[in-house]
Amino acid sequence: MLLFLLLCPAGVFAQHYVLKENVSYVAADEPNAYRRERCRLDVYYPEGRSGFPTVVWLHGGGLEGGSKHIPDELKRQGIGVVAVNYRLSPRAQHPAYIADAAEAVAWTLRHIGSYGGDADKIFVAGHSAGGYLALMVALDKSYLAACGVDADRLAGIVPVSGQTVTHFTIRKERGLDNRIPLVDAYAPLNRARKVPFPVLLVTGDRRLEMTARYEENAHLEAVLRSLGNDRVTLYELQGFDHGTVLGPACRLLTEWVKKTAE
């Protein structure tokens, strides 16, 4: 405990944090009732501090469940966190949830300055399905472009145990066998490109993870590097499965974000 206190940045514990909940990121006159219901986010930030980096956090749940939350490991770290809800399958079909994630990122880029954050230090991250969404929003520029934003404005992305082939729920929506990989327009691998920001890929132990989850991320790392991206890092966290990887991955994410944003 003493060592933790000595290593912890000065002022972190003294800093007051504010949580603003259920902020809509779609227009007030949005005609779709489900969008009005689900397209909301929470903003968590250090009060009175300016220029802090912010993580847009996309929850997991297979694109079929889950809800916005802020992992404990991201709290009181001198950064802002925007936790996002998005529409879910089967009530919404692809690419609705990708479009929602992009709109939440665009909202953050436009509004984080009013909370004291730096719009040039926006990182997109998420676990499992949230990691998949983070990859799609960042690599396929069309989603943020539809919101009037250039994806290259992002400061970095950190997908945790995200699929890099077409998500299994999208395959399910199409009536395909979701055990068989597919790489099409809804696969981050298919949208790999040269990006100006760093990429941190994190998975659990390949022996404990979901089927081929580590291997998919290793494939994406290789493809991104072949396209000239030299700031791509892949961590396989030994001893952690798909669920338990979240805690240590968020600690890694926090330190990486703060270092990258310096």
Side-chain angles (χ1 to χ4, degrees):
M1 181 63 177
L2 178 59
L3 179 60
F4 173 77
L5 292 171
L6 291 172
L7 292 176
C8 189
V12 167
F13 290 110
Q15 180 72 60
H16 178 62
Y17 288 78
V18 176
L19 176 64
K20 292 198 172 181
E21 298 180 281
N22 294 317
V23 178
S24 175
Y25 59 85
V26 296
D29 60 353
E30 165 61 50
N32 185 299
Y34 189 42
R35 285 201 84 204
R36 292 197 305 272
E37 173 193 339
R38 284 292 299 184
C39 293
R40 295 182 176 273
L41 52 79
D42 297 342
V43 185
Y44 174 87
Y45 63 99
E47 188 176 38
R49 183 174 174 182
S50 62
F52 55 81
T54 300
V55 172
V56 179
W57 181 256
L58 301 163
H59 69 80
L63 301 176
E64 296 180 295
S67 186
K68 58 182 168 62
H69 68 282
I70 300 172
D72 289 341
E73 295 81 4
L74 301 185
K75 295 178 180 177
R76 305 192 65 81
Q77 294 297 319
I79 64 174
V81 183
V82 174
V84 179
N85 265 356
Y86 48 84
R87 285 173 291 174
L88 301 170
S89 183
R91 188 168 175 182
Q93 301 280 299
H94 66 285
Y97 24 74
I98 308 173
D100 289 350
E103 194 153 356
V105 172
W107 183 96
T108 304
L109 284 161
R110 293 190 178 108
H111 294 280
I112 199 63
S114 64
Y115 297 89
D118 188 337
D120 292 325
K121 298 178 181 179
I122 303 298
F123 298 81
V124 184
H127 175 233
S128 194
Y132 166 80
L133 293 174
L135 284 166
M136 287 300 296
V137 166
L139 295 180
D140 187 335
K141 298 186 71 173
S142 68
Y143 292 101
L144 277 172
C147 303
V149 171
D150 185 351
D152 288 351
R153 286 189 60 192
L154 298 175
I157 56 172
V158 189
V160 178
S161 296
Q163 282 203 285
T164 71
V165 298
T166 300
H167 197 278
F168 61 75
T169 292
I170 294 177
R171 285 175 262 156
K172 179 180 176 181
E173 289 174 358
R174 293 173 171 174
L176 302 175
D177 187 338
N178 63 15
R179 298 168 298 178
I180 305 301
L182 176 68
V183 177
D184 65 3
Y186 297 103
L189 273 166
N190 184 269
R191 292 298 185 244
R193 63 186 179 87
K194 179 72 182 294
V195 295
F197 47 78
V199 178
L200 176 63
L201 305 169
V202 185
T203 77
D205 191 319
R206 72 186 78 183
R207 302 166 301 170
L208 305 172
E209 260 283 9
M210 295 184 74
T211 303
R213 194 57 54 95
Y214 166 79
E215 290 79 4
E216 287 182 27
N217 279 264
H219 192 181
L220 180 60
E221 178 197 26
V223 171
L224 288 173
R225 287 191 176 278
S226 76
L227 294 172
N229 296 286
D230 58 3
R231 293 190 295 164
V232 182
T233 305
L234 170 61
Y235 283 101
E236 176 188 3
L237 302 188
Q238 300 292 325
F240 295 96
D241 63 22
H242 187 72
T244 58
V245 73
L246 179 58
C250 284
R251 294 186 185 94
L252 181 63
L253 179 161
T254 299
E255 294 308 312
W256 185 84
V257 163
K258 289 191 285 189
K259 182 177 180 180
T260 303
E262 288 178 352

Short mmCIF file of all heavy atoms in Angstrom, two decimals, residues 131-167:
data_model
loop_
_atom_site.label_atom_id
_atom_site.label_comp_id
_atom_site.label_asym_id
_atom_site.label_seq_id
_atom_site.Cartn_x
_atom_site.Cartn_y
_atom_site.Cartn_z
N GLY A 131 -14.74 -3.55 -27.60
CA GLY A 131 -13.47 -3.50 -28.31
C GLY A 131 -13.65 -3.58 -29.81
O GLY A 131 -12.97 -2.90 -30.58
N TYR A 132 -14.59 -4.44 -30.24
CA TYR A 132 -14.93 -4.54 -31.66
C TYR A 132 -15.42 -3.19 -32.17
O TYR A 132 -14.99 -2.71 -33.23
CB TYR A 132 -15.99 -5.61 -31.86
CG TYR A 132 -16.65 -5.56 -33.21
CD1 TYR A 132 -16.02 -6.09 -34.34
CD2 TYR A 132 -17.90 -4.95 -33.38
CE1 TYR A 132 -16.62 -6.03 -35.60
CE2 TYR A 132 -18.51 -4.88 -34.62
CZ TYR A 132 -17.86 -5.42 -35.73
OH TYR A 132 -18.46 -5.34 -36.97
N LEU A 133 -16.33 -2.55 -31.43
CA LEU A 133 -16.86 -1.25 -31.85
C LEU A 133 -15.77 -0.19 -31.92
O LEU A 133 -15.75 0.63 -32.85
CB LEU A 133 -17.98 -0.81 -30.91
CG LEU A 133 -19.26 -1.65 -30.94
CD1 LEU A 133 -20.22 -1.18 -29.86
CD2 LEU A 133 -19.92 -1.59 -32.31
N ALA A 134 -14.86 -0.20 -30.95
CA ALA A 134 -13.76 0.76 -30.96
C ALA A 134 -12.93 0.61 -32.23
O ALA A 134 -12.54 1.60 -32.87
CB ALA A 134 -12.89 0.57 -29.72
N LEU A 135 -12.65 -0.63 -32.61
CA LEU A 135 -11.88 -0.88 -33.83
C LEU A 135 -12.62 -0.42 -35.07
O LEU A 135 -12.03 0.22 -35.96
CB LEU A 135 -11.56 -2.38 -33.94
CG LEU A 135 -10.46 -2.91 -33.02
CD1 LEU A 135 -10.49 -4.43 -32.99
CD2 LEU A 135 -9.09 -2.41 -33.48
N MET A 136 -13.89 -0.72 -35.16
CA MET A 136 -14.65 -0.34 -36.35
C MET A 136 -14.75 1.17 -36.49
O MET A 136 -14.60 1.72 -37.59
CB MET A 136 -16.05 -0.97 -36.30
CG MET A 136 -16.08 -2.46 -36.57
SD MET A 136 -15.43 -2.91 -38.21
CE MET A 136 -16.63 -2.12 -39.30
N VAL A 137 -15.00 1.86 -35.40
CA VAL A 137 -15.14 3.32 -35.45
C VAL A 137 -13.83 3.97 -35.88
O VAL A 137 -13.82 4.95 -36.63
CB VAL A 137 -15.60 3.85 -34.08
CG1 VAL A 137 -15.42 5.36 -33.98
CG2 VAL A 137 -17.04 3.47 -33.83
N ALA A 138 -12.71 3.43 -35.40
CA ALA A 138 -11.42 4.04 -35.69
C ALA A 138 -10.86 3.66 -37.06
O ALA A 138 -10.24 4.49 -37.73
CB ALA A 138 -10.41 3.65 -34.60
N LEU A 139 -11.07 2.41 -37.47
CA LEU A 139 -10.46 1.94 -38.71
C LEU A 139 -11.31 2.22 -39.95
O LEU A 139 -10.77 2.51 -41.02
CB LEU A 139 -10.15 0.44 -38.60
CG LEU A 139 -9.12 0.04 -37.55
CD1 LEU A 139 -8.92 -1.47 -37.55
CD2 LEU A 139 -7.78 0.75 -37.79
N ASP A 140 -12.62 2.11 -39.83
CA ASP A 140 -13.50 2.43 -40.94
C ASP A 140 -13.93 3.89 -40.80
O ASP A 140 -14.83 4.22 -40.04
CB ASP A 140 -14.72 1.51 -40.95
CG ASP A 140 -15.60 1.68 -42.18
OD1 ASP A 140 -15.57 2.77 -42.79
OD2 ASP A 140 -16.30 0.72 -42.54
N LYS A 141 -13.31 4.76 -41.56
CA LYS A 141 -13.51 6.20 -41.39
C LYS A 141 -14.93 6.65 -41.74
O LYS A 141 -15.34 7.75 -41.36
CB LYS A 141 -12.50 6.98 -42.22
CG LYS A 141 -11.06 6.73 -41.82
CD LYS A 141 -10.09 7.63 -42.58
CE LYS A 141 -10.18 9.07 -42.13
NZ LYS A 141 -9.14 9.91 -42.75
N SER A 142 -15.70 5.81 -42.43
CA SER A 142 -17.01 6.24 -42.90
C SER A 142 -17.99 6.52 -41.76
O SER A 142 -18.86 7.39 -41.89
CB SER A 142 -17.61 5.19 -43.84
OG SER A 142 -17.93 3.99 -43.15
N TYR A 143 -17.83 5.83 -40.63
CA TYR A 143 -18.79 6.00 -39.53
C TYR A 143 -18.64 7.37 -38.86
O TYR A 143 -19.64 8.06 -38.64
CB TYR A 143 -18.64 4.88 -38.51
CG TYR A 143 -19.06 3.55 -39.05
CD1 TYR A 143 -18.13 2.61 -39.48
CD2 TYR A 143 -20.41 3.22 -39.16
CE1 TYR A 143 -18.52 1.38 -40.01
CE2 TYR A 143 -20.82 2.00 -39.69
CZ TYR A 143 -19.87 1.09 -40.12
OH TYR A 143 -20.26 -0.11 -40.65
N LEU A 144 -17.43 7.77 -38.57
CA LEU A 144 -17.25 9.10 -38.00
C LEU A 144 -17.44 10.19 -39.05
O LEU A 144 -17.92 11.29 -38.73
CB LEU A 144 -15.86 9.21 -37.35
CG LEU A 144 -15.77 8.66 -35.93
CD1 LEU A 144 -14.33 8.62 -35.44
CD2 LEU A 144 -16.63 9.48 -34.97
N ALA A 145 -17.10 9.89 -40.30
CA ALA A 145 -17.33 10.87 -41.36
C ALA A 145 -18.81 11.21 -41.48
O ALA A 145 -19.17 12.36 -41.75
CB ALA A 145 -16.79 10.32 -42.68
N ALA A 146 -19.68 10.21 -41.26
CA ALA A 146 -21.12 10.45 -41.30
C ALA A 146 -21.56 11.41 -40.20
O ALA A 146 -22.64 12.02 -40.29
CB ALA A 146 -21.88 9.14 -41.19
N CYS A 147 -20.73 11.54 -39.16
CA CYS A 147 -21.02 12.46 -38.05
C CYS A 147 -20.25 13.77 -38.21
O CYS A 147 -20.21 14.60 -37.29
CB CYS A 147 -20.62 11.81 -36.72
SG CYS A 147 -21.43 10.23 -36.37
N GLY A 148 -19.59 13.94 -39.35
CA GLY A 148 -18.84 15.16 -39.61
C GLY A 148 -17.49 15.23 -38.93
O GLY A 148 -16.97 16.31 -38.70
N VAL A 149 -16.91 14.06 -38.62
CA VAL A 149 -15.64 14.00 -37.89
C VAL A 149 -14.65 13.12 -38.64
O VAL A 149 -15.03 12.08 -39.19
CB VAL A 149 -15.87 13.43 -36.46
CG1 VAL A 149 -14.55 13.16 -35.76
CG2 VAL A 149 -16.70 14.40 -35.63
N ASP A 150 -13.39 13.53 -38.63
CA ASP A 150 -12.32 12.73 -39.21
C ASP A 150 -11.79 11.77 -38.14
O ASP A 150 -11.34 12.20 -37.08
CB ASP A 150 -11.20 13.64 -39.70
CG ASP A 150 -10.09 12.89 -40.43
OD1 ASP A 150 -10.08 11.65 -40.42
OD2 ASP A 150 -9.21 13.58 -40.99
N ALA A 151 -11.85 10.47 -38.41
CA ALA A 151 -11.38 9.48 -37.44
C ALA A 151 -9.91 9.67 -37.09
O ALA A 151 -9.47 9.24 -36.02
CB ALA A 151 -11.61 8.07 -37.98
N ASP A 152 -9.15 10.30 -37.95
CA ASP A 152 -7.74 10.52 -37.67
C ASP A 152 -7.49 11.53 -36.55
O ASP A 152 -6.34 11.71 -36.12
CB ASP A 152 -7.00 10.96 -38.94
CG ASP A 152 -6.85 9.82 -39.94
OD1 ASP A 152 -7.16 8.67 -39.57
OD2 ASP A 152 -6.42 10.08 -41.08
N ARG A 153 -8.56 12.17 -36.06
CA ARG A 153 -8.42 13.07 -34.91
C ARG A 153 -8.22 12.31 -33.60
O ARG A 153 -7.79 12.90 -32.61
CB ARG A 153 -9.67 13.95 -34.77
CG ARG A 153 -9.79 15.06 -35.79
CD ARG A 153 -10.93 15.99 -35.41
NE ARG A 153 -10.71 16.60 -34.10
CZ ARG A 153 -11.66 17.29 -33.42
NH1 ARG A 153 -12.87 17.39 -33.93
NH2 ARG A 153 -11.39 17.83 -32.25
N LEU A 154 -8.53 11.02 -33.60
CA LEU A 154 -8.40 10.24 -32.37
C LEU A 154 -6.95 10.19 -31.92
O LEU A 154 -6.03 10.21 -32.74
CB LEU A 154 -8.94 8.83 -32.59
CG LEU A 154 -10.42 8.72 -32.95
CD1 LEU A 154 -10.79 7.27 -33.24
CD2 LEU A 154 -11.29 9.28 -31.83
N ALA A 155 -6.77 10.10 -30.61
CA ALA A 155 -5.41 10.03 -30.04
C ALA A 155 -4.92 8.61 -29.90
O ALA A 155 -3.71 8.38 -29.73
CB ALA A 155 -5.38 10.73 -28.68
N GLY A 156 -5.82 7.62 -29.97
CA GLY A 156 -5.42 6.23 -29.84
C GLY A 156 -6.63 5.35 -29.59
O GLY A 156 -7.72 5.85 -29.25
N ILE A 157 -6.45 4.05 -29.77
CA ILE A 157 -7.53 3.10 -29.50
C ILE A 157 -6.99 1.93 -28.68
O ILE A 157 -5.83 1.53 -28.84
CB ILE A 157 -8.20 2.58 -30.79
CG1 ILE A 157 -7.18 1.94 -31.74
CG2 ILE A 157 -8.95 3.69 -31.48
CD1 ILE A 157 -7.82 1.25 -32.94
N VAL A 158 -7.86 1.42 -27.80
CA VAL A 158 -7.47 0.30 -26.92
C VAL A 158 -8.61 -0.71 -26.85
O VAL A 158 -9.42 -0.70 -25.93
CB VAL A 158 -7.10 0.78 -25.51
CG1 VAL A 158 -6.49 -0.38 -24.71
CG2 VAL A 158 -6.17 1.97 -25.53
N PRO A 159 -8.71 -1.60 -27.84
CA PRO A 159 -9.69 -2.67 -27.75
C PRO A 159 -9.19 -3.80 -26.85
O PRO A 159 -8.06 -4.26 -26.99
CB PRO A 159 -9.82 -3.14 -29.20
CG PRO A 159 -8.49 -2.82 -29.81
CD PRO A 159 -7.98 -1.59 -29.12
N VAL A 160 -10.02 -4.21 -25.91
CA VAL A 160 -9.69 -5.30 -25.00
C VAL A 160 -10.50 -6.52 -25.41
O VAL A 160 -11.73 -6.51 -25.35
CB VAL A 160 -9.99 -4.92 -23.53
CG1 VAL A 160 -9.67 -6.10 -22.61
CG2 VAL A 160 -9.21 -3.68 -23.12
N SER A 161 -9.83 -7.58 -25.85
CA SER A 161 -10.49 -8.83 -26.27
C SER A 161 -11.57 -8.59 -27.32
O SER A 161 -12.63 -9.21 -27.28
CB SER A 161 -11.08 -9.55 -25.06
OG SER A 161 -10.07 -9.96 -24.18
N GLY A 162 -11.29 -7.69 -28.25
CA GLY A 162 -12.25 -7.40 -29.31
C GLY A 162 -12.09 -8.35 -30.48
O GLY A 162 -10.98 -8.79 -30.78
N GLN A 163 -13.20 -8.66 -31.15
CA GLN A 163 -13.10 -9.45 -32.38
C GLN A 163 -12.53 -8.59 -33.49
O GLN A 163 -12.84 -7.39 -33.59
CB GLN A 163 -14.47 -9.98 -32.79
CG GLN A 163 -14.91 -11.19 -31.99
CD GLN A 163 -15.94 -12.01 -32.74
OE1 GLN A 163 -17.08 -11.64 -32.84
NE2 GLN A 163 -15.51 -13.15 -33.27
N THR A 164 -11.72 -9.19 -34.34
CA THR A 164 -11.18 -8.46 -35.48
C THR A 164 -11.72 -9.02 -36.79
O THR A 164 -11.51 -8.42 -37.84
CB THR A 164 -9.64 -8.47 -35.49
OG1 THR A 164 -9.15 -9.77 -35.82
CG2 THR A 164 -9.08 -8.06 -34.14
N VAL A 165 -12.42 -10.15 -36.74
CA VAL A 165 -13.21 -10.62 -37.89
C VAL A 165 -14.61 -10.03 -37.72
O VAL A 165 -14.89 -9.33 -36.75
CB VAL A 165 -13.24 -12.15 -37.95
CG1 VAL A 165 -11.85 -12.72 -38.14
CG2 VAL A 165 -13.90 -12.76 -36.71
N THR A 166 -15.50 -10.31 -38.65
CA THR A 166 -16.87 -9.84 -38.53
C THR A 166 -17.51 -10.42 -37.27
O THR A 166 -17.44 -11.62 -37.03
CB THR A 166 -17.69 -10.25 -39.77
OG1 THR A 166 -17.07 -9.67 -40.92
CG2 THR A 166 -19.12 -9.79 -39.68
N HIS A 167 -18.10 -9.54 -36.46
CA HIS A 167 -18.59 -9.96 -35.15
C HIS A 167 -19.59 -11.10 -35.27
O HIS A 167 -20.41 -11.15 -36.18
CB HIS A 167 -19.24 -8.77 -34.44
CG HIS A 167 -19.40 -8.99 -32.97
ND1 HIS A 167 -20.46 -9.71 -32.44
CD2 HIS A 167 -18.62 -8.63 -31.91
CE1 HIS A 167 -20.33 -9.76 -31.13
NE2 HIS A 167 -19.23 -9.12 -30.78
#
